[in-house]
């Protein structure tokens, strides 16, 4: 399977619930970054080109990334692969020409009869989750996407983005070659 991005967004009473994730155990960018930094990955994330577990991100980039969550994660990855491949004519693994496949599904809460209540009920669900007892060592449960949203708010409030100096130099080198 590919890294299959999956994103969903919905209004709450006072905000937007936004989750943007991949169905793989590690992202393609995460492997590129680990390779650039000379870091190893855990052996449960990917396989080399021979199908063997690997801790080498470069070997993983030439091999395959494991889907997250075992069989259930694989099932979700398969669903996304079918929706963005066969359903809309997107490229399948091994196709000579890369053809991106994108699917957007929009649901109107009014059609289901709860449009006026939807944002408030979604906010109440999130509030219930946030008030529940965390797992051992976790003070408060987080909602998926919450960490990214908090980092985004912090970054935008500071009017700056902190980048790794080595990444900036790599970008400059690539730009100079163009």
């Amino acid at each position: 399977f590919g890294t299959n991005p999956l994103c969903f967004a919905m209004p709450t009473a006072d905000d937007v619930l936004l989750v943007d994730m991949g169905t793989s155990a590690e992202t393609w960018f995460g492997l590129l970054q680990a390779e650039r930094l000379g870091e190893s990955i855990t052996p449960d994330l990917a396989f080399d080109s021979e199908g063997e577990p690997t801790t080498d991100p470069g070997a993983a980039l030439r091999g395959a990334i494991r889907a997250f969550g075992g069989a259930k994660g694989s099932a979700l990855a398969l669903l996304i692969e079918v929706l963005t491949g066969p359903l809309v004519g997107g490229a399948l693994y091994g196709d000579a020409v890369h053809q991106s496949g994108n699917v957007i599904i929009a649901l109107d809460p009014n059609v289901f009869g709860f449009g006026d209540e939807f944002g408030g009920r979604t906010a109440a669900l999130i509030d219930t989750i946030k008030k529940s007892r965390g797992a051992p060592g976790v003070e408060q449960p987080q909602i998926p996407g919450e960490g990214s949203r908090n980092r985004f708010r912090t970054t935008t409030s500071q009017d700056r983005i902190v980048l790794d100096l080595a990444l900036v130099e790599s970008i400059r080198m690539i730009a100079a070659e163009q």
Side-chain angles (χ1 to χ4, degrees), residues 151 154-156 158-165 167-168:
R151 285 189 299 280
T154 299
T155 299
T156 55
Q158 296 173 352
D159 289 329
R160 64 187 173 109
I161 298 173
V162 178
L163 296 175
D164 175 31
L165 185 57
L167 175 61
V168 172

Side-chain angles (χ1 to χ4, degrees), residues 63-122:
I65 306 170
R66 185 185 304 264
F68 78 90
K72 291 179 182 181
S74 292
L76 183 58
L78 175 61
L79 170 65
I80 302 301
E81 197 81 29
V82 169
L83 291 175
T84 61
L87 180 66
V88 298
L92 302 176
Y93 180 78
D95 285 352
V97 177
H98 178 76
Q99 173 65 35
S100 293
N102 297 296
V103 173
I104 298 171
I105 300 170
L107 302 173
D108 181 355
N110 292 309
V111 172
F112 299 94
F114 296 99
D116 294 339
E117 302 170 31
F118 182 74
R121 291 176 54 86
T122 302

Side-chain angles (χ1 to χ4, degrees), residues 29-151:
F29 177 75
L31 293 176
L32 289 173
Q33 185 175 27
E35 182 181 43
R36 185 180 58 77
L37 296 173
E39 297 175 349
S40 294
I41 58 172
T42 60
D44 59 337
L45 296 182
F47 305 96
D48 63 19
S49 61
E50 301 298 318
E52 297 297 324
T54 184
T55 59
D56 177 358
L61 290 166
R62 293 182 297 279
I65 306 170
R66 185 185 304 264
F68 78 90
K72 291 179 182 181
S74 292
L76 183 58
L78 175 61
L79 170 65
I80 302 301
E81 197 81 29
V82 169
L83 291 175
T84 61
L87 180 66
V88 298
L92 302 176
Y93 180 78
D95 285 352
V97 177
H98 178 76
Q99 173 65 35
S100 293
N102 297 296
V103 173
I104 298 171
I105 300 170
L107 302 173
D108 181 355
N110 292 309
V111 172
F112 299 94
F114 296 99
D116 294 339
E117 302 170 31
F118 182 74
R121 291 176 54 86
T122 302
L125 172 63
I126 291 170
D127 189 53
T128 299
I129 294 168
K130 299 282 296 169
K131 288 180 178 174
S132 66
R133 181 177 40 151
V138 176
E139 186 174 321
Q140 181 185 43
Q142 273 198 323
I143 302 301
E146 186 175 12
S148 297
R149 184 173 51 252
N150 291 340
R151 285 189 299 280

